[in-house]
Amino acid sequence: MREREGEAETGSAQLILGIETSCDETAAAVVADGHDVMSNVVSSQIDIHARYGGVVPEVASRAHVEMMTPVIAQSMVEAGVEPGDLTAIAATVGPGLIGSLLIGVSAAKSLALVWDKPFVAVNHLEAHLYASFLEEPDLELPVVVLLVSGGHTMLVLMEGHGRYRLLGQTLDDAAGEAFDKVARYLGLGYPGGPIIDKMSADGDRDAIAFPRALSKQGYDFSFSGLKTSVVNHVRKNPEASDVDVAASFQEAVVDVLVTKAQRAVRETGAKGLCLAGGVAANSSLRERVVEAAAADGIRAFVPSRSMCTDNAAMVAAAGWWRLHSDGPAGLDHGASSSLRLPTYV
Ligand code: KG4
Ligand code: ZN
């Protein structure tokens, strides 16, 4: 095993192999002690799904079967570890596409059996929350986490490890889903988030005053009306500049997300504001969160872009915490497409 800083004396680092296959990324990573990333391999299927304008579950499952073993092998080689060095094997068990999840879960349980290691069941949403700990292991709690991905939009008060208070969530589309649907309508390609993000840099975000649904009420979100407003605007104004539409749409999404997250921090007295999930890779959202936190004198935790989108390092990090709090899962553990974050209100 590669010698790691400070480990020579203790030799006690706990290495978790994380496996992630909830959607269209086949990923494996080795992480030491819940935060020290030794390898982080992601094989993206974006090119395969782009031609269909979105993820095709059956196609995703087949690609996971092809890539799973090479990706795991690469993550072990890059980390310089042997199976015997591992403490446990953690895999995302939900939520996500069931066919995709089953491939990662089956691979992880098979390796756990063959290598005689504990298997740890990881919730994908919790894994996104733990992305911040990879870069800030001493992150001080409580923090408000704005979790924005293709399938979820949630405001969570993380009061302790594994202790989440759900402040609000989307009542309809997730933020990433809104980006993807608007991009699809505008004929921009898939996935829409990164494309709209890039285009917005050349557009005027104040060009069109799109609605900010529920902006002043509570912590829940709604994005489906915004998507309809974009469609109606483009229908009525076919000459509208694409970059202005993209920038104004992005501004409306980011505005609501940041307004609510900032209010949540103020009302809960949280010590920091964390971003998580694929939409957290958005340039404008990242800037606005940093500004909002600075204005309130609290810390902003904005993971690097590659840790925001789906990856297995965050699964290994969450797995390390879960192993310590709950212990291993049985080898009869299944997968669940609709698994929820264990929250209280
Ligand atoms: O967390 P993630 O990788 O997968 C899920 O768990 O859903 O998030 C994917 C979502 C997609 O909807 C994608 O369009 C969005 O994240 N996304 C972005 C950006 N990069 C990815 N949205 C806005 N701006 C970005 N730069
Ligand atoms: Zn995700």
Side-chain angles (χ1 to χ4, degrees):
M1 190 179 100
R2 194 178 71 184
E3 202 167 89
R4 299 160 36 70
E5 210 180 331
E7 192 192 318
E9 304 84 46
T10 62
S12 60
Q14 293 197 320
L15 309 188
I16 309 290
L17 169 64
I19 292 176
E20 157 62 36
T21 59
S22 66
C23 190
D24 59 345
E25 261 91 29
T26 316
V30 179
V31 174
D33 294 335
H35 59 82
D36 193 353
V37 181
M38 299 175 71
S39 67
N40 188 22
V41 181
V42 181
S43 167
S44 172
Q45 303 173 9
I46 282 178
D47 293 346
I48 304 173
H49 298 290
R51 75 187 77 147
Y52 305 107
V55 178
V56 182
E58 172 82 14
V59 174
S61 303
R62 287 167 188 268
H64 284 307
V65 169
E66 287 168 13
M67 293 312 296
M68 187 77 273
T69 307
V71 164
I72 292 171
Q74 192 182 337
S75 74
M76 297 286 285
V77 169
E78 284 185 13
V81 300
E82 303 289 339
D85 300 323
L86 295 173
T87 303
I89 300 165
T92 299
V93 298
L97 301 171
I98 193 66
S100 294
L101 289 166
L102 288 171
I103 289 150
V105 171
S106 301
K109 291 199 298 185
S110 306
L111 292 176
L113 183 66
V114 172
W115 292 344
D116 194 20
K117 300 288 175 187
F119 165 68
V120 187
V122 172
N123 181 311
H124 182 78
L125 301 173
E126 184 166 67
H128 273 303
L129 300 186
Y130 273 87
S132 286
F133 288 87
L134 290 165
E135 285 152 356
E136 297 277 349
D138 301 321
L139 197 154
E140 211 183 340
L141 301 174
V143 289
V144 165
V145 188
L146 176 61
L147 171 52
V148 270
S149 72
H152 296 83
T153 296
M154 305 169 98
L155 257 181
V156 174
L157 179 66
M158 184 172 181
E159 298 186 297
H161 287 287
R163 290 178 48 226
Y164 312 115
R165 185 143 71 88
L166 180 63
L167 302 174
Q169 60 189 326
T170 186
L171 303 175
D172 40 57
D173 290 351
E177 194 179 354
F179 271 95
D180 295 339
K181 284 181 174 170
V182 165
R184 192 173 179 162
Y185 174 72
L186 297 175
L188 302 174
Y190 176 84
I195 301 170
I196 289 185
D197 189 356
K198 201 155 170 255
M199 283 175 69
S200 297
D202 300 321
D204 174 5
R205 61 181 149 187
D206 300 320
I208 309 149
F210 286 127
R212 271 80 164 147
L214 307 177
S215 170
K216 297 199 170 61
Q217 300 139 258
Y219 293 123
D220 284 337
F221 302 92
S222 169
F223 294 110
S224 77
L226 170 59
K227 177 193 64 196
T228 310
S229 295
V230 173
V231 171
N232 289 340
H233 181 88
V234 174
R235 277 203 190 125
K236 276 192 213 131
N237 305 276
E239 76 299 341
S241 134
D242 263 8
V243 288
D244 285 350
V245 172
S248 302
F249 160 76
Q250 176 173 287
E251 179 68 7
V253 175
V254 170
D255 214 20
V256 176
L257 293 175
V258 176
T259 302
K260 296 205 180 214
Q262 190 168 32
R263 178 146 41 84
V265 168
R266 287 176 184 163
E267 288 179 4
T268 59
K271 298 204 164 91
L273 174 56
C274 292
L275 265 184
V279 182
N282 183 268
S283 317
S284 169
L285 180 58
R286 298 167 76 85
E287 269 169 36
R288 290 276 303 274
V289 160
V290 170
E291 282 165 17
D296 283 6
I298 56 142
R299 292 199 59 191
F301 300 99
V302 180
S304 58
R305 282 186 164 82
S306 60
M307 292 301 171
C308 292
T309 49
D310 288 351
N311 66 84
M314 67 183 195
V315 174
W320 185 76
W321 283 101
R322 277 289 160 199
L323 181 64
H324 283 271
S325 62
D326 300 3
L331 288 183
D332 57 350
H333 200 290
S336 165
S337 58
S338 56
L339 192 66
R340 299 163 78 100
L341 186 71
T343 56
Y344 42 91
V345 282

